[in-house]
């Protein structure tokens, strides 16, 4: 890759000749690591014109650098950083001379706290039982590429390049309103839908609009770790309600609650489903105690065992439920495209908040997704995922039973993961570390749980990213490692 001529600037205060200064600029770039062996330097003519000096001055500087083996020449091809050039020195981090007391200067802290961690190179592992990553063997790359190219075409140029201010792609909004939501039993006008940068961004906006330091949010325990961080940052009062086999128990919600966050169709991470009777009771409590409900309906498309229950919002007659959906789960996590559905006054405030922070999600991604959805590619992809997950689920069920692992929760309608319970005394964080050395990836449950008594007992096994043939051998390794840890405890 050629080195840009714009990286060179002369210093009027430099004490020395122009030739010496050019030599120092090039040598300094090599010693700092900015210019690397094999990279091409600007031609003497181009650099001389850029710096406003004579060409012979640049040529003499280059020749001196060649004599010191900083540069090499390839005839008419030009000058290159020599393969024998001195390597940048390994400098240990210097102590900061910053006089700011950052422990006092930082007003809000966003770091810290337990989060789900996935190695970036997870595809190198033989047995990746991790959640939410795209399986390249299932994704329709060709049609996604064609839709992306179509969204870049002349016909879409105005919508792609214009300043949309706070508006969303009308084709995407129309598809969500007329196709996606009715499948969940939800009817919504276009002014009741807002595109978000994924479901987590939707949760954040809902918390920002609805919560203050004086208000109380109630959420499930265990829950999605990102939600706990969002509520902590909002500085609201927070109440954790332990879930049971039917999800969130409405009778445990304190009456002072202002907003409830729940995953009724597919509880995260236990995969339990809230029965219709309990959903109606939750709505009754919301009306009686005057609180709102944020429904995160992630993964509803992955219902391959039997049809999914209707969304909580579809049963809502008072406008108390705000619905969150996402395309990132079924397409790919890097897409970061979701949506909020709620009463127009709420969406108006959420839209204003989004506009102040990021204007709107990239229009090109919205239009590409709109084409992918409207041309039928999305439904075809979902069918392919359902079939593949159904096969993997069948193999997973058999393997878990064969090797005697304990399932604490599994989606009744499908999904892509199991919530597992380790034997007493087995620390799932340590289990995950030991399995990683054997090319097995699992997700310890610490990040999901609130209570100290529970956080090291559970772990999540997902089958969305692992090939069918690898499931049984991987489960066997997990069972073997658990047995080894149990034998060490007995000793």
């Amino acid at each position: 890759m050629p080195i840009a001529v714009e990286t060179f600037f002369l210093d009027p205060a430099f004490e020395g000749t122009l030739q010496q200064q050019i030599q120092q600029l090039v040598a300094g770039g090599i010693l700092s690591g900015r210019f690397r062996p094999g990279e091409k330097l600007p031609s003497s003519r181009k650099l001389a014109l850029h710096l406003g000096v004579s060409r012979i001055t640049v040529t003499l500087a280059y020749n001196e650098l060649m004599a010191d083996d900083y540069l090499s020449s390839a005839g008419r091809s030009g000058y290159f950083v020599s393969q024998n050039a001195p390597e940048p020195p390994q400098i240990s981090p210097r102590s900061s001379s910053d006089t700011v007391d950052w422990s006092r200067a930082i007003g809000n802290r966003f770091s810290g706290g337990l989060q789900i961690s996935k190695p970036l190179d997870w595809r190198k592992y033989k047995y990746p039982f991790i959640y939410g990553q795209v399986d390249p063997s299932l994704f329709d790359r060709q049609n996604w590429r064609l839709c992306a190219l179509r969204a870049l075409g002349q016909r879409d140029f105005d919508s792609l390049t214009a300043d949309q201010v706070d508006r969303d792609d009308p084709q995407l909004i129309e598809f969500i309103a007329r196709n996606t939501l009715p499948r969940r039993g939800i009817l919504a006008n276009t002014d009741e839908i807002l595109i978000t940068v994924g479901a987590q961004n939707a949760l954040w906006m809902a918390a920002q609009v609805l919560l203050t330091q004086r208000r109380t949010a109630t959420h499930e325990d265990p829950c999605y770790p990102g939600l706990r961080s969002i509520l902590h940052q909002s500085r609201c009062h927070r109440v954790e309600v332990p879930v049971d086999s039917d999800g969130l128990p409405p009778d445990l919600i304190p009456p002072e609650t202002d907003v409830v966050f729940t995953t009724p169709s597919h509880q995260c991470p236990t995969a339990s489903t809230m029965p219709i009777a309990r959903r109606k009771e939750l709505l009754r409590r919301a009306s009686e105690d005057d609180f709102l409900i944020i429904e995160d309906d992630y993964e509803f498309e992955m219902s391959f065992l039997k049809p999914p229950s209707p969304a909580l919002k579809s049963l809502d007659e008072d406008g108390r439920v705000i619905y969150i959906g996402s395309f990132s789960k079924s397409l790919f996590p890097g897409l970061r495209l979701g949506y909020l559905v709620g009463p127009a006054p709420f969406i108006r405030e959420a839209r204003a908040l989004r506009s102040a922070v990021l204007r709107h999600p990239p229009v090109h991604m919205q239009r590409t997704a709109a084409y992918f959805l409207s041309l039928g590619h999305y439904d075809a992809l979902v069918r392919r995922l359902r079939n593949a997950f159904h096969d993997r689920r069948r193999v997973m069920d058999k393997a878990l039973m064969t090797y005697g692992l304990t399932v604490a929760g599994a989606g009744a309608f499908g999904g892509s993961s199991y919530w597992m319970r380790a034997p007493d005394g087995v620390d799932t964080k340590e289990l995950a570390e030991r399995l990683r050395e054997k090319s097995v990836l699992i997700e310890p449950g610490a990040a999901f749980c609130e209570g100290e008594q529970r956080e090291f007992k559970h772990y999540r096994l997902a089958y969305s990213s692992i090939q069918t043939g690898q499931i049984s051998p991987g489960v066997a390794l997990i069972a073997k490692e658990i047995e080894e840890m149990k034998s060490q405890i007995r000793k």
Side-chain angles (χ1 to χ4, degrees), residues 220-367:
E220 301 162 339
D221 179 35
C223 73
Y224 171 55
L227 172 62
R228 191 178 289 114
S229 298
I230 288 168
L231 296 180
H232 177 73
Q233 293 163 14
S234 74
R235 298 186 178 183
C236 67
H237 301 289
R238 189 165 58 87
V239 177
E240 311 89 39
V241 172
V243 300
D244 58 23
S245 58
D246 289 333
L248 178 71
D251 58 308
L252 296 184
I253 298 174
E256 67 272 17
T257 295
D258 295 290
V259 183
V260 168
F261 291 81
T262 182
T263 51
S265 295
H266 200 78
Q267 203 280 325
C268 177
T270 69
S272 62
T273 298
M274 186 181 292
I276 295 295
R278 179 172 285 192
R279 296 183 189 217
K280 292 181 177 180
E281 174 60 18
L282 177 59
L283 291 171
R284 189 193 67 78
R285 280 292 313 277
S287 178
E288 183 179 290
D289 292 339
D290 193 23
F291 59 75
L292 299 174
I293 301 171
I294 308 299
E295 177 185 14
D296 184 358
D297 196 25
Y298 79 103
E299 228 181 33
F300 79 85
E301 302 97 330
M302 297 302 108
S303 300
F304 49 78
L305 296 178
K306 54 183 177 179
S309 295
L312 184 67
K313 184 165 181 59
S314 70
L315 306 173
D316 175 29
E317 298 179 353
D318 298 335
R320 294 189 173 275
V321 178
I322 293 164
Y323 180 90
I324 293 175
S326 174
F327 296 115
S328 301
K329 294 287 187 298
S330 46
L331 285 171
F332 51 91
L335 179 64
R336 309 312 310 146
L337 207 60
Y339 48 94
L340 270 171
V341 183
F346 166 79
I347 293 297
R348 181 172 59 248
E349 297 306 316
R351 188 183 303 278
L353 171 64
R354 189 192 69 176
S355 179
V357 175
L358 55 82
R359 305 282 274 188
H360 52 74
V363 176
H364 178 248
M365 295 304 291
Q366 292 194 49
R367 181 55 58 91

Side-chain angles (χ1 to χ4, degrees), residues 421-432 434-435 442 444 454-459 478-479 481-490:
R421 174 71 159 82
D424 290 340
V426 174
D427 183 333
T428 57
K429 181 180 179 182
E430 180 185 352
L431 175 64
R434 293 173 61 155
L435 285 169
I442 68 170
R454 302 172 56 198
E455 63 180 17
F456 299 119
K457 297 179 181 179
H458 292 86
Y459 59 103
I478 297 171
E481 198 64 43
I482 288 176
E483 285 302 314
E484 289 182 4
M485 293 179 69
K486 284 169 61 179
S487 64
Q488 292 173 3
I489 293 170
R490 287 194 291 266

Side-chain angles (χ1 to χ4, degrees), residues 12-188:
F14 181 82
E15 296 181 1
T17 66
L18 289 172
Q19 179 185 325
Q20 291 171 337
Q21 185 171 177
I22 293 170
Q23 285 179 235
Q24 184 172 311
L25 286 172
V26 176
I30 295 172
L31 292 172
S32 68
R34 290 187 296 118
F35 305 159
R36 299 183 179 182
E39 289 187 328
K40 185 178 181 180
L41 272 81
S43 68
S44 58
R45 183 188 301 276
K46 184 178 291 186
L47 185 57
L49 182 64
H50 172 70
L51 296 177
V53 301
S54 69
R55 184 180 178 187
I56 189 64
T57 300
V58 177
T59 301
L60 289 172
Y62 278 1
N63 287 338
E64 286 293 325
L65 290 164
M66 286 178 61
D68 292 334
D69 217 2
Y70 279 88
L71 300 182
S72 62
S73 174
R76 293 188 176 183
S77 296
Y79 296 91
F80 298 81
V81 178
S82 173
Q83 297 294 339
N84 300 319
E87 294 184 2
Q90 299 296 321
I91 303 174
S92 58
R94 62 183 179 86
S95 58
S96 175
S97 59
D98 200 333
T99 59
V100 176
D101 182 358
W102 288 106
S103 64
R104 295 183 57 191
I106 294 175
N108 294 310
R109 297 187 181 276
F110 302 100
S111 63
L114 288 170
Q115 294 293 333
I116 306 168
S117 61
K118 297 179 177 70
L120 296 177
D121 60 346
W122 65 267
R123 287 188 177 89
K124 295 181 179 179
Y125 291 78
K126 290 183 66 176
Y127 312 104
F129 292 100
I130 58 173
Y131 176 81
Q133 302 304 300
V134 65
D135 185 340
S137 68
L138 298 175
F139 184 67
D140 188 356
R141 286 174 289 186
Q142 181 178 358
N143 280 317
W144 179 264
R145 177 178 174 273
L146 291 175
C147 290
L149 290 173
R150 180 174 177 180
L152 287 170
Q154 183 63 40
R155 180 178 179 182
D156 297 293
F157 184 79
D158 289 342
S159 61
L160 178 67
T161 57
D163 185 357
Q164 300 296 331
V165 190
D166 62 357
R167 297 184 297 274
D168 288 312
D169 184 274
Q171 292 187 30
L172 182 58
I173 292 291
E174 185 73 15
F175 187 91
I176 292 171
R178 303 293 174 253
N179 293 273
T180 305
L181 294 178
R183 297 181 185 184
R184 301 298 290 130
I186 300 170
L187 300 178

